[in-house]
Amino acid sequence: MSLPRLVRDAQPELTALWQSRWPASPPVGHMVSDPYWEVWVRFHSLPKSKRYPDDEGEYAVVLERYNTVLDELFAGRDVHVITSKWTTGPDAPRHRPRAGYWQTLLTIDDPNPNFRTYQHLYATRRTWQRSCLDGLLRAVADDAAADVLITDTELERIHHPYDGGADVLLTSPEERDRLRERHADWLSRHPQGL
C-alpha cells in the first residue's frame, strides 16, 4: 500500500508541523500508529473487546473511555480536531462549516479517474472540555465517521478514536507505559496489543 500523496494544502504551517513531528506517516488515522509503535497504545472501547455498542449503557461506557483518556491528554488545553471526507475528485467539499479545510490527499491513485479516491482533511481548533466531542465520538463508535484525529496544538500527542477503540500516540515509551498501566483493563489480550 502506497502512502497518500498531498494534492492541495491550505494550512502549510500545520502541514510543516505535522511533517516535523510525525514524518513517517501522513495525518491519516488508520496509518499513523504503524511507524510509531514505540509510543503507541491501543485501548478498546468496550469490555471483552466488543466492537460496537448495542444500547445506551454501552454508549456510556464508550464515551467514558474516550473522554477519560482525552481528559488525561488535553484537559484545559487547545486541541486540533481533524476530520475527513472522501470523494472521487480533488475539490474539497464545503460540508463542514465550522471546520477549516486543511489539505487534500490522493489516497488511491488509479489510472482510471473514476476510481481515484481523495481524502480531504479539515482541522478545527477548540479548547478541550470533557464531553465536548461526544456527538463526533458517538459517530466514530458507530463507524459513521472515520480517520478522526484529536491532538494538542503542538501535535505532540495524538488520540485516534475508531469504531472499537482508540489508538493513542504519546511523547515517549515511558509516557505510553504510564497511560497503559492506568487503563490496563481496556487493553487487548492480543500479544501485539491490537
Side-chain angles (χ1 to χ4, degrees), residues 26-153:
V28 175
H30 70 274
M31 299 177 101
V32 75
S33 61
D34 287 344
Y36 298 105
W37 59 269
E38 72 278 0
V39 294
W40 164 81
V41 62
R42 173 172 284 175
F43 296 113
H44 286 184
S45 295
L46 289 166
K48 299 180 183 175
S49 299
K50 183 178 178 185
R51 187 138 193 169
Y52 297 102
D54 288 326
D55 57 37
E56 289 305 315
E58 289 183 340
Y59 278 108
V61 171
V62 168
L63 293 173
E64 175 65 24
R65 288 185 181 190
Y66 283 148
N67 279 294
T68 295
V69 173
L70 286 162
D71 271 350
E72 291 178 28
L73 298 175
F74 308 125
R77 298 179 65 191
D78 280 1
V79 296
H80 290 295
V81 180
I82 301 163
T83 56
S84 295
K85 175 73 176 165
W86 292 265
T87 65
T88 57
D91 294 328
R94 300 199 182 279
H95 74 293
R96 290 182 164 88
R98 292 182 305 193
Y101 169 71
W102 176 13
Q103 62 179 236
T104 295
L105 303 169
L106 177 60
T107 56
I108 299 177
D109 189 7
D110 194 281
N112 182 335
N114 294 326
F115 296 107
R116 288 185 188 138
T117 303
Y118 295 86
Q119 184 173 353
H120 309 281
L121 303 177
Y122 299 82
T124 187
R125 185 172 172 158
R126 65 180 309 155
T127 301
W128 170 256
Q129 295 177 3
R130 186 177 192 85
S131 300
C132 69
L133 296 176
D134 279 1
L136 177 61
L137 294 172
R138 191 173 171 126
V140 167
D142 287 335
D143 197 24
D147 274 344
V148 171
L149 298 173
I150 304 162
T151 179
D152 56 279
T153 57

